[in-house]
Amino acid sequence: MATVRDIYNYIDSFAPFGTQAEWDNSGLLVGDENKVVNKIVFALDVTTDVIEQAKKCSADLIVTHHPVIFKPVSSVLNDSLIYKLIENNISIICAHTNYDKAIDGVNDILCQTVNADRFEKIDDTFLNVAVFDNTYTTDEFANHLKIRLNGSVRYNNLNKNINKIAVCSGSGSDYLELAKELNCDALLTGDASHHSFLDANEMGIVLFAAGHFETEMIAVKPLLEKIENEFKIDCILATQNTPIITI
Amino acid sequence: MATVRDIYNYIDSFAPFGTQAEWDNSGLLVGDENKVVNKIVFALDVTTDVIEQAKKCSADLIVTHHPVIFKPVSSVLNDSLIYKLIENNISIICAHTNYDKAIDGVNDILCQTVNADRFEKIDDTFLNVAVFDNTYTTDEFANHLKIRLNGSVRYNNLNKNINKIAVCSGSGSDYLELAKELNCDALLTGDASHHSFLDANEMGIVLFAAGHFETEMIAVKPLLEKIENEFKIDCILATQNTPIITI
Amino acid sequence: MATVRDIYNYIDSFAPFGTQAEWDNSGLLVGDENKVVNKIVFALDVTTDVIEQAKKCSADLIVTHHPVIFKPVSSVLNDSLIYKLIENNISIICAHTNYDKAIDGVNDILCQTVNADRFEKIDDTFLNVAVFDNTYTTDEFANHLKIRLNGSVRYNNLNKNINKIAVCSGSGSDYLELAKELNCDALLTGDASHHSFLDANEMGIVLFAAGHFETEMIAVKPLLEKIENEFKIDCILATQNTPIITI
Amino acid sequence: MATVRDIYNYIDSFAPFGTQAEWDNSGLLVGDENKVVNKIVFALDVTTDVIEQAKKCSADLIVTHHPVIFKPVSSVLNDSLIYKLIENNISIICAHTNYDKAIDGVNDILCQTVNADRFEKIDDTFLNVAVFDNTYTTDEFANHLKIRLNGSVRYNNLNKNINKIAVCSGSGSDYLELAKELNCDALLTGDASHHSFLDANEMGIVLFAAGHFETEMIAVKPLLEKIENEFKIDCILATQNTPIITI
Amino acid sequence: MATVRDIYNYIDSFAPFGTQAEWDNSGLLVGDENKVVNKIVFALDVTTDVIEQAKKCSADLIVTHHPVIFKPVSSVLNDSLIYKLIENNISIICAHTNYDKAIDGVNDILCQTVNADRFEKIDDTFLNVAVFDNTYTTDEFANHLKIRLNGSVRYNNLNKNINKIAVCSGSGSDYLELAKELNCDALLTGDASHHSFLDANEMGIVLFAAGHFETEMIAVKPLLEKIENEFKIDCILATQNTPIITI
Amino acid sequence: MATVRDIYNYIDSFAPFGTQAEWDNSGLLVGDENKVVNKIVFALDVTTDVIEQAKKCSADLIVTHHPVIFKPVSSVLNDSLIYKLIENNISIICAHTNYDKAIDGVNDILCQTVNADRFEKIDDTFLNVAVFDNTYTTDEFANHLKIRLNGSVRYNNLNKNINKIAVCSGSGSDYLELAKELNCDALLTGDASHHSFLDANEMGIVLFAAGHFETEMIAVKPLLEKIENEFKIDCILATQNTPIITI
């Protein structure tokens, strides 16, 4: 019978928690490592709704990408997610930046999902560079992303040919300058702000913001399948949509 | 004949530069305060394209909302906006957070644009609270914003009634907690990230991100008109669209 | 029926949480402010043992002097006190430095317990100055403290007459210099280190360390009685001894 | 004839000053390295009384464990120890954390004094781990320490068997967690506070505080003997007791 | 009979030590405030040579402008000035920035010495503004300073008329911008670097560096006379020249 | 035809910009690296006057030792040097501490200029040590410097024999202690303050301040000649004197 510790150790074997970014808080954040695990719920984020789903199906463990505790806490009151997890006797393991940069991790899955023909990791970063055999116009590539990632895409149209792109799931617009130095035609990420699009315009690089949810949620199921195969435990993908409606 | 200094002093009379946020850099950032001004171009952001427009119409001054220098610079090379301004003998005044919080400034204009029936400023913040006589559903209010602000709107649908909202143009999602404390049904701002929408969901408040460009561009023309009335100078609104295409 | 919020507000009325030291973390730290309270356990510190006592008597709330969270936490695992409190559905309110400096708070109770004839608070500090009509030798005063506070007393014997002392419950040896400036013969506190005793010797002031537990535990029962009188709730003093055996 | 520099260099040969902790200030702190040394007084701490003893016996040098200057000073007035040393033409060498961690240094001597059967140093720390062939109860071991170290002992009684302990002279309770990770039954140190005893209880480890003075004074005479053997100089152990009377 | 404390208190009455700059360390820095003072040596700086002079004439106290301790010290060895002072039983009071800004203090004396017709202090600074009835050329004024202050003068010649100057003894070139804002023709100070002269040229203001020693030494004798008059103690001006030979 | 980039790369080949001090800002600071260079003006410092000279002779590039931007700037107004450079379409490359420490750089040229018989660089510093076969008195050496460097020399006369000196062009008095440790008789630098001369006196080392301008200007022509030889471009040495008149 697998325990929370066993699940943790297995994730650590392919996405070592020691490789997480300095500012990150991946790991077993709430719960009991000795607890026997009969059912696991997987989600991008832990929310009140995800906890409700875990409760309903009597899950012992939730595995998410985003950490349930980011800024250390000085109190734990009943409306907090931490409180609800403990109250319901559910542990939570968060595999964030360690899973982003892992082999076959979030960035690699994102490259595959958008049908890159080849990609490689850039050392000491959370960035991949992906190459396409075809050449797309900016609008064609935006439409390609919209279809492949199934969400709203925001971009600055520079009328460039796109066949080499930098790829960073989540909030990666700080990599604009590095992407430019690496001679990429574009940077593909999830979230980006007005000022990042202006910077991209001035730098002559296209910035595709294909959704924080859309660029990361695709990596949750592969994680579920890995763990299901390893442990033969009942693994359930939480019903979870992007929190953002775009009209 | 008005000089750059005269324009600066007039803006200072209704949006005092001394009231800007500690991290801001509003003011006369590039140019010559003694220069006589015959033509002014107004824009939300200074970009290479806006400078081209100013050049073509022989403007002496650009007035923008966002500062052309944010992080202090250690070099000024030919591909920088600063270089291009000086090369073309164009001064630039930036009225950012001092104009956000001014009476009849960006936040007030935003409240009026979305047809708030009443609104008031919250002391020591860059936040307004606006009240509507009508009650909207979340979806109705999102559509209302889309029509009034003429851009893509992103929101989390909580099926709440909306008639009291907090309003902060630009990037205001740090005000979510204060908006909740002020018993607002929603926070209206420009840019917001995935995590802010998740926080809003947990807090039971609706977050409307109606576009950084869309929530601020509306205040550029009123600024132009004020200055045109005061100085009888030729004032031109730059052709400027949001840098973001949403598909 | 009183709720956790009612108890919090009542404590706030005589020992305002807003007066706590900047480094302190007094307040409702774990639990639910809407919960109805039928039984309260009072203790100096929350420990696993105190939680067990609360569990056995079905208490809904623990009130302690020392905060259960001091350094903000990044994870909450099953061996932590926070986890055990939530697991057992027990809230906890901590009244630390706000109760130290309150009128009839810890320092005042300590002055009364050692039979001071008069005492007054020193503004902007957590220090009282107490005066005795009798004059004691250092050894006599140490014995007096041992009898009154019922624990081991540690001190540096300077053969001084003692009749004016500075008083700070807990760990107050940082006040040695201020005590000297206030012309006190001695400083009475709970914990003190080797180096503080050496400093006291060089400064010619007596330092009495009468026990962190012994100088603060005396204030727990008065707090219990106040709350019991106000709310007519079942209030129980946890069985708690100093964690230190001295031989 | 030996000079102050010779004594310094000899101490440096077995307890290199370069190995001191970053926050420490061991070394020749007051005096003249060229001065010929005819008599040395040794003490744990320099105090007014120790300086008086040095003066009376015409010593040229004092060697102590604790640094006479800890926080850098901005003035040197007549009531300070520095002033008194210079006034009386006495140099002072302080061998603090470099002597703590030296082979045959304070921690090693402490292990030997409490009759450990085997002990070893933990790399990059000021901690030893000591093992006993016999197994003691907590109370038995506390009594053993009281007899061997000849002072008051304070501890938390967990009714554990004690035969492997972590050892750090002085104020070492920050090592509680490391001691636990090293599977020690207890941590033996000098000073410890109320909160450290509570932490030890929660962690299930015994904390023995056997006195800052008692755990370090034992290493002063061995240092004296080393130097006396090397230089054939008149070496005197200052009469010095713990500054703390425990009743 | 006057003590060191009496001298300190008298200086404090006209140049309060509490008005010193935040980074300064004026006050009784070495010695004994209870010591009776029979002879005082005055100097700009304490040096080994000044201590020798004080020793030879059996002075009990040295009063200087510059603090003998600037950066707090972690050791006091025999080659330090502090050691030599204590060894020779000489106290030292340093009146630095408190005397600079005092009424009739260093800046005022400097204004009088250069024959200013009127001068006033600028609030919250260590700066005076002085006005001359005559108008000088830059070269004439440099020569005037050379004669009045009796040392080498360094300046940038801008061929300006000089009749209103800012005045800051010692190292005051940080006041260049303020001097310009105050519409001064020049800034008179002691020390200044190459880059300050370049800045002055660009700003169109003349910078006169008339010597750190020469702009401050003039205030030592007036201080001596004040104290001699008050206490009828033997007061001696140390023989002291600028440490700088200019060829 | 050479571009600004070519000049930059050539300087980088013998004085790598990557070796500059952490606080320095050497490099291409204003201008366009693609610009073709027909004429270069060389100077120690860029000033309004140097820009005027460059303008008159239609230079495309200025090369200086001191950086035109030191503290990063938040605005660029018309009275600034940056503005004037851009307005006149002149680029500027600054080779400061990278050229100081280069082989055949400023420090080496200074050693040669003062006729040192041998000199070597001290690793990880901006310091040379130079040796003379002759022995000079302090006064003789000061006169030797005055003749060789052709400016005013300031020094403290210790009546020492001078034949081994530390050498740091510009403002190098922070190296006094290292010079002493290296057993140098003197430190030769450009600028030095009153307090540095006092420190030198106490340390028994001679400090020669031979002028910031005089110790560095000597290295401008050699840089000009190197670049002229390499590129066959018209290279002009700006007419530039020390900004300091000494009387």
Side-chain angles (χ1 to χ4, degrees), chain E residues 48 153 155 194 202 245 247, chain F residues 45 48 153 155 191 202 245 247:
Chain E
T48 297
V153 175
Y155 65 107
H194 174 76
E202 293 301 328
I245 300 172
I247 62 169
Chain F
D45 297 282
T48 296
V153 174
Y155 65 107
D191 263 352
E202 292 300 327
I245 301 172
I247 62 169

Side-chain angles (χ1 to χ4, degrees), chain E residues 207-221:
Chain E
L207 174 60
F208 294 104
H212 201 117
F213 182 88
E214 288 80 1
T215 58
E216 297 188 333
M217 188 63 203
I218 52 177
V220 175
K221 192 146 179 256

Side-chain angles (χ1 to χ4, degrees), chain C residues 48 153 155 194 202 245 247, chain D residues 45 48 153 155 191 202 245 247:
Chain C
T48 297
V153 175
Y155 64 107
H194 174 76
E202 293 300 327
I245 301 170
I247 62 170
Chain D
D45 297 283
T48 297
V153 175
Y155 64 106
D191 264 352
E202 293 301 327
I245 301 171
I247 63 171

Side-chain angles (χ1 to χ4, degrees), chain E residues 20-68:
Chain E
Q20 66 183 278
E22 204 190 354
W23 47 263
D24 193 11
N25 189 33
S26 293
L28 171 62
L29 299 189
V30 175
D32 178 354
E33 61 181 1
N34 295 313
K35 197 183 172 188
V36 172
V37 176
N38 291 306
K39 199 173 286 186
I40 312 176
V41 163
F42 289 77
L44 182 64
D45 297 283
V46 66
T47 61
T48 297
D49 182 61
V50 165
I51 296 175
E52 282 305 309
Q53 295 182 43
K55 228 166 114 179
K56 279 199 191 129
C57 70
S58 301
D60 310 293
L61 175 65
I62 296 174
V63 174
T64 65
H65 186 48
H66 291 132
V68 64

